[in-house]
Amino acid sequence: SNFKGWMNYLESPILYCGLLCFITVAQFFTFLNKKQIKAYAVLTGVFLLAVIFPYFRFLFYAFTGDYFRAFGFFVGLIFLILGIRGLNFIFERSKVSIKVIIGSIIVVFILLYLTVYTKYNLIDTKLRSAVTFFIVAYAVLIYLLANKKYRNTVTIIPLFLVCIESGYLSSITVNKRSIITSAELKQKKGYNDYTVEALQYINAKDKTFFRINKDYMSGTAIHRSMNDAMVQNYRSTPCYSSFNQKYYIEFLKASYKTIKEVD
């Protein structure tokens, strides 16, 4: 409910693959020759192109809808693979580029701090400070891992830090969210509202096939739910699906508009 970003929580891009990748992906390219750099740059550019320009994202779904979810997973997967290979090169060759580390930090700081502020106050400053700490800590650790003198001492620390990062960032989603109490489940609200009694009355009077449309929603979410018929077990026009075809969604919008005009 408190999500701030592109569209909504369920349709926004899943691009997170660990903050360590910001440092190790850039290092990966320092170990390649010119031909390899071009090949991997093209591969990375193709995915970034579709993230930045909506047309290519539409193309990925054959122009049936504007979605990020499945596509975003592949973007994160590519960067995760490149990041792991970069980390592997650092261990194998005991070498790291200080200039690239500094450049990576600068790029991340630009993304974090040179942001256009709006009246919606989209920046979570506490979270931004945490990300800043992790990025700097990873940069220092990567530098130390490339030095055989310190490697045995700090090898376990990145793994420990990754666990802390994953736990901290996941706790925001798990703990800072609206919940339904056990007492609310017994009250006549949400999907347990008086629609239940109305449906029992209708089904008792009419045994033929019919469809029901409601001009209100039973769900307690901030958006109108398409799940009411599935949850409350009645036949309706709206259909629940993770990715409905966009023209069916247009049909649902038109149907809902017609109902409101009749009312």
Side-chain angles (χ1 to χ4, degrees):
S1 299
N2 297 323
F3 174 78
K4 298 176 181 178
W6 187 87
M7 293 288 283
N8 59 66
Y9 180 78
L10 295 177
E11 294 177 291
S12 62
I14 309 176
L15 301 177
Y16 173 75
C17 57
L19 298 175
L20 180 61
C21 288
F22 275 107
I23 307 298
T24 56
V25 168
Q27 290 297 320
F28 168 73
F29 283 91
T30 65
F31 293 100
L32 305 178
N33 57 43
K34 291 183 178 180
K35 288 185 178 180
Q36 290 174 323
I37 289 176
K38 289 180 180 179
Y40 280 104
V42 169
L43 174 65
T44 307
V46 167
F47 283 94
L48 288 178
L49 198 66
V51 171
I52 297 171
F53 298 102
Y55 177 85
F56 297 100
R57 190 169 65 253
F58 276 73
L59 180 63
F60 180 82
Y61 288 103
F63 300 98
T64 59
D66 185 14
Y67 303 117
F68 260 112
R69 294 300 258 179
F71 173 76
F73 168 78
F74 291 109
V75 176
L77 185 62
I78 288 294
F79 279 91
L80 184 60
I81 292 172
L82 297 182
I84 291 172
R85 293 200 63 188
L87 187 61
N88 186 56
F89 279 138
I90 292 170
F91 270 95
E92 285 182 349
R93 305 185 187 183
S94 299
K95 188 177 71 170
V96 73
S97 172
I98 301 298
K99 291 182 179 180
V100 173
I101 287 181
I102 295 173
S104 301
I105 294 175
I106 292 173
V107 169
V108 174
F109 281 9
I110 290 173
L111 294 173
L112 287 175
Y113 291 94
L114 293 184
T115 307
V116 177
Y117 286 86
T118 68
K119 63 180 181 179
Y120 299 107
N121 191 25
L122 298 176
I123 306 300
D124 185 333
T125 54
K126 183 180 178 181
L127 180 58
R128 182 173 60 182
S129 298
V131 171
T132 301
F133 165 76
F134 283 117
I135 290 294
V136 174
Y138 285 136
V140 173
L141 288 171
I142 289 299
Y143 171 75
L144 295 176
L145 285 173
N147 192 322
K148 291 183 178 180
K149 181 180 178 181
Y150 304 108
R151 180 176 296 177
N152 292 334
T153 306
V154 302
T155 297
I156 194 65
I157 298 178
L159 177 60
F160 179 68
L161 201 60
V162 165
C163 292
I164 295 176
E165 175 199 333
S166 302
Y168 173 73
L169 295 180
S170 298
S171 69
I172 298 172
T173 303
V174 174
N175 298 322
K176 294 185 178 181
R177 60 190 174 94
S178 302
I179 61 171
I180 298 177
T181 64
S182 57
E184 287 178 305
L185 291 175
K186 300 176 183 178
Q187 297 172 2
K188 298 303 293 182
K189 60 189 301 185
Y191 287 122
N192 192 38
D193 61 8
Y194 288 100
T195 303
V196 177
E197 284 76 7
L199 289 171
Q200 290 173 349
Y201 176 80
I202 293 172
N203 289 325
K205 294 292 183 179
D206 192 340
K207 302 296 181 180
T208 63
F209 178 83
F210 55 86
R211 290 190 179 275
I212 298 173
N213 270 326
K214 292 162 54 180
D215 58 359
Y216 62 93
M217 65 177 184
S218 295
T220 56
I222 59 175
H223 301 292
R224 182 177 176 86
S225 173
M226 294 290 107
N227 295 342
D228 284 20
M230 184 172 65
V231 177
Q232 294 177 318
N233 194 27
Y234 66 89
R235 293 179 294 272
S236 185
T237 304
C239 168
Y240 172 78
S241 175
S242 298
F243 298 107
N244 266 323
Q245 216 277 350
K246 72 173 184 178
Y247 294 110
Y248 184 72
I249 295 174
E250 293 298 323
F251 163 73
L252 294 177
K253 289 180 179 178
S255 300
Y256 178 66
K257 183 179 179 181
T258 303
I259 293 172
K260 297 297 288 185
E261 289 175 350
V262 170
D263 290 342

